[in-house]
Amino acid sequence: MTEISRGAAPAAPVEPVRCGWGTSAPDYIAYHDEEWGRPVTGDDRVFERIALESFQSGLSWITILRKRENFRTAFAGFSIPAVAAFGDEDVVRLLGDAGIVRNRAKIEATIANARAALGVDLSDLIWNHADPGAPVPKTPGDVPAQTPGSKALAKELKTRGFRFIGPTTAYALMQAIGLVNDHLADCWTRRA
């Protein structure tokens, strides 16, 4: 039998350093660590992020995260052709769905955006606005709400018929799908 050493207690596990917003709830921790700022490609996957960022406008992101699976079900997995085919009866159905954000303007914009995305290589269109050379933010105050790139992206999307996506929403999209990396300088994801 070996002798059990006495004295020092085992060290507590060290939590990795995260961006401050990514620490307040388990949903945020998972989203921060596994998704935010990581490259997302593919037209339907990018369309989903556009829709979710548009629905988030004026709301807390955690509200959208917690309803994301309901959104996916309600919007046919964010299949661009399927959502583009939605009609008035689908708008009524979605307005009655307590599992999503029931905002007529945002629902109608999502359908219109799917129609605008038909025949467009949406992923390439969005990724043409990537800014891998953006400065590395050291503090939350260093993270902009919009940039010249997000203004250009919002303008291009609007000229193609997209709705409910201004420069701030466009920048949130750029952050979410990895067009810019706004993880703070000391965040563990920068080393991952």
Side-chain angles (χ1 to χ4, degrees):
M1 181 181 247
T2 59
E3 188 176 319
I4 298 174
S5 64
R6 296 175 193 240
V14 177
E15 276 292 312
V17 175
R18 293 182 176 91
C19 302
W21 67 265
T23 63
S24 63
D27 297 15
Y28 273 155
I29 292 170
Y31 180 68
H32 171 274
D33 289 1
E34 299 165 18
E35 292 185 60
W36 192 72
R38 304 206 188 253
V40 174
T41 57
D43 289 353
D44 289 345
R45 293 181 69 215
V46 169
F47 173 66
E48 174 183 354
R49 298 327 192 281
I50 291 171
L52 294 177
E53 292 295 343
S54 296
F55 271 100
Q56 183 274 328
S57 183
L59 301 172
S60 169
W61 180 243
I62 202 152
T63 300
I64 303 305
L65 275 179
R66 290 178 175 162
K67 293 178 177 273
R68 182 163 50 173
E69 288 307 316
N70 296 332
F71 274 109
R72 286 175 174 158
T73 300
F75 284 94
F78 289 101
S79 161
I80 292 170
V83 176
F86 281 12
D88 292 339
E89 67 283 351
D90 293 294
V91 172
V92 171
R93 171 183 59 82
L94 293 166
L95 286 169
D97 188 339
I100 66 167
V101 173
R102 296 177 289 181
N103 178 299
R104 180 180 290 276
K106 293 176 180 182
I107 290 168
E108 290 176 347
T110 300
I111 296 167
N113 291 349
R115 292 174 182 157
L118 287 173
V120 172
D121 189 336
L122 186 61
S123 186
D124 282 352
L125 172 82
I126 301 295
W127 274 91
N128 282 334
H129 294 273
D131 190 3
V136 176
K138 293 185 172 95
T139 70
D142 295 336
V143 179
Q146 56 182 266
T147 62
S150 75
K151 291 176 186 175
L153 175 57
K155 182 177 180 180
E156 181 164 358
L157 289 171
K158 283 183 183 183
T159 62
R160 292 176 177 269
F162 284 78
R163 300 188 333 208
F164 228 96
I165 183 161
T168 301
T169 300
Y171 194 69
L173 171 69
M174 292 169 76
Q175 292 171 308
I177 67 171
L179 271 69
V180 294
N181 183 351
D182 276 343
H183 285 283
L184 299 182
D186 62 350
C187 179
W188 78 267
T189 62
R190 286 216 167 251
R191 296 181 302 278

